Amino acid sequence: MPSYDVIVIGAGAAGLMCALTAGYRGQRVRVIDHANKAGKKILMSGGGRCNFTNLATAPRHFFSGNPHFAISALKRYTPQHFVELVERHGIEYVEKAPGQLFCADSAKAIVEMLLTECAWAGVEVSLSTTVERVERLGEGVRLKSSAGTFDAGAVVIASGGLSIPTLGASGFGYDLARQFGLEVTATRAALVPFTVTSQWKTALAALSGLSCPVAVSCGDGHYREPLLFTHRGLSGPAMLQASSHWEPGMALTIDWLPQLDVAEALRQGRRESPRKRLAGWLGEQLPRRLAQALGEWQGWPDTSLADLSNAQIDAIAEALARWQFKPAGTEGWRTAEVTLGGVDTRAISSKTFAVEGLPQLRFIGEVLDVTGQLGGFNFQWAWASGVACGQAV
Ligand code: FDA
């Protein structure tokens, strides 16, 4: 029976990073994935250009029931380390938004880089291979798969979260965690667009494709990012970020003009251009279609600025700064970028990613209850947890 020092389940971001790190240490490593291609999510990410890290990565950009867990790995493998790897492979990148690094060309370069490193490190990668069973075997594990039975010193679970089942996502890691007596915290689709009621769908149809910078608040989350109207509902970075704080029934508070003191600007407009129409003034501050729609939804009078009372100005400013909206739901696992929740980290070492009392079993990446905000943080977690585990396993 073939035997390995380490078997990694999941040829995604965390799994490949862990495998190559362990391989370079001289460990005999095999990666198993049921998908027919490695790194499918990497290929899809960042609109095909993979936002592979964020230079501002810090623990505050992550959600977890155990907020200190991520600190150690993130500190030991920083965005700069990954940038050095990318540069060594001659991959060009761009900083599309502050701190957010994307491939200049294609996400394919990142997958090729990881597979090249795996090959250099002597790692074997088996795709289209189903894992049927993982069981404890003395100090190690025995793994039954569609490619045969393997013994290993350790198995690393890097099977990711539940988002986008068509890309190979499965609840495998959670089931395995439960099999070995670990807790799994409640999971929820996050970084996902919002859906709206059919009534709002009709109202928003005319705005489809329009994007504008807003400030959004949801629960304890506050973000200043663009919002995008789609034919299905509300999307764009602002909405994806807010979705990580949203639970059914909650309202979003949207500030349509976060950069402007609207009450002061309207009073100034009333003084300097008294004959200007309110709709015209709004159309200068916001995309015209949006200004018109907001005017209709709020029932604002089509009047000249001179005719607006101070009370009306204050009411308009308040409505623009605190527009309340209750989404019908989210698009769910079909389009979510990540899974909130996962394998409870309290029974896992933040240094080695080994399960307490069961060092032959390790969990890394998104399968754990560690989820990043939008902007390259999730990949940085995958790289950092993969390296930390690969150095220790
Ligand atoms: P990942 O999901 O990458 O890999 C898990 C692997 O395990 C997969 O290859 C899967 O096939 C395999 N697997 C699952 N079940 C299995 C089983 N039963 N048997 C064998 N194999 C199994 N993040 C970011 O930082 N920047 C970005 O630009 C984006 N963009 C983005 C876009 C889209 C569309 C999505 C869906 C996600 C993102 N993300 C992102 C999030 C990022 O892709 C995600 O957090 C990481 O890929 C997680 O890495 P993991 O290795 O943990 O799981």
Side-chain angles (χ1 to χ4, degrees):
M1 188 180 304
S3 73
Y4 293 87
D5 295 311
V6 185
I7 291 184
V8 178
I9 300 178
L16 293 176
M17 201 66 178
C18 174
L20 69 92
T21 307
Y24 278 129
R25 286 177 46 237
Q27 302 284 68
R28 192 159 176 237
V29 185
R30 182 161 184 153
V31 181
I32 291 179
D33 200 303
H34 62 176
N36 59 357
K37 239 191 224 173
K40 280 193 176 180
K41 275 194 191 162
I42 301 175
L43 295 172
M44 277 277 287
S45 67
R49 296 211 292 160
C50 185
N51 177 194
F52 56 78
T53 193
N54 192 308
L55 298 176
T57 299
R60 69 175 184 282
H61 297 117
F62 294 85
F63 306 100
S64 172
N66 182 10
H68 296 298
F69 180 78
I71 295 173
S72 168
L74 291 173
K75 226 187 219 167
R76 284 180 286 151
Y77 191 83
T78 65
Q80 208 49 50
H81 286 111
F82 195 75
V83 170
E84 278 163 24
L85 179 61
V86 164
E87 288 178 349
R88 251 189 284 131
H89 282 257
I91 298 171
E92 305 231 336
Y93 58 89
V94 287
E95 188 170 354
K96 265 178 71 175
Q100 297 180 17
L101 303 190
F102 286 71
C103 294
D105 185 15
S106 162
K108 267 191 210 156
I110 299 292
V111 176
E112 279 164 16
M113 173 188 84
L114 294 169
L115 289 176
T116 301
E117 291 277 337
C118 278
W120 289 344
V123 173
E124 295 171 38
V125 180
S126 307
L127 301 172
S128 304
T129 303
T130 314
V131 179
E132 285 146 17
R133 190 152 180 80
V134 178
E135 56 201 30
R136 193 176 173 166
L137 185 74
E139 305 280 281
V141 284
R142 173 160 291 172
L143 189 144
K144 292 193 176 131
S145 79
S146 57
T149 299
F150 309 108
D151 286 349
V155 63
V156 178
I157 312 304
S159 54
L162 293 169
S163 57
I164 321 210
T166 50
L167 291 182
S170 79
F172 174 87
Y174 309 136
D175 295 340
L176 196 81
R178 290 190 190 100
Q179 179 195 322
F180 284 94
L182 298 178
E183 300 279 328
V184 177
T185 66
T187 54
R188 185 151 62 77
L191 299 184
V192 60
F194 288 112
T195 55
V196 298
T197 58
S198 53
Q199 203 184 346
W200 270 109
K201 212 171 187 178
T202 314
L204 296 176
L207 301 176
S208 180
L210 193 150
S211 167
C212 63
V214 301
V216 62
S217 298
C218 182
D220 57 359
H222 310 281
Y223 300 93
R224 232 169 133 147
E225 302 250 25
L227 173 152
L228 172 70
F229 294 94
T230 72
H231 59 281
R232 288 195 293 267
L234 299 178
S235 186
M239 297 298 104
L240 300 187
Q241 297 277 38
S243 73
S244 299
H245 302 263
W246 186 82
E247 295 199 35
M250 282 171 82
L252 311 173
T253 304
I254 296 172
D255 182 345
W256 294 106
L257 287 167
Q259 71 288 4
L260 191 68
D261 180 339
V262 174
E264 181 48 40
L266 263 176
R267 282 186 172 84
Q268 191 184 344
R270 186 174 61 179
R271 273 196 311 276
E272 294 172 1
S273 321
R275 282 202 238 141
K276 186 174 277 177
R277 313 293 296 175
L278 173 60
W281 184 88
L282 281 170
E284 288 167 7
Q285 321 299 328
L286 289 162
R288 201 161 280 280
R289 276 188 289 158
L290 175 60
Q292 195 184 342
L294 283 169
E296 283 166 18
W297 300 337
Q298 297 296 133
W300 287 328
D302 182 22
T303 172
S304 62
L305 298 185
D307 291 335
L308 288 175
S309 66
N310 280 340
Q312 280 174 310
I313 284 180
D314 290 341
I316 291 167
E318 172 69 9
L320 283 171
R322 301 191 49 78
W323 195 70
Q324 299 275 313
F325 185 80
K326 264 193 187 175
T330 72
E331 290 184 7
W333 300 117
R334 193 176 58 79
T335 62
E337 287 197 11
V338 287
T339 301
L340 269 179
V343 176
D344 194 335
T345 58
R346 281 171 300 182
I348 291 174
S349 159
S350 62
K351 303 270 179 305
T352 66
F353 291 78
V355 172
E356 228 167 63
L358 203 62
Q360 64 267 62
L361 180 62
R362 294 169 194 237
F363 290 84
I364 56 170
E366 199 184 314
V367 71
L368 289 167
D369 173 24
V370 177
T371 310
Q373 294 175 351
L374 188 76
F377 302 112
N378 284 295
F379 278 132
Q380 188 56 35
W381 170 244
W383 316 135
S385 58
V387 168
C389 181
Q391 284 170 343
V393 68

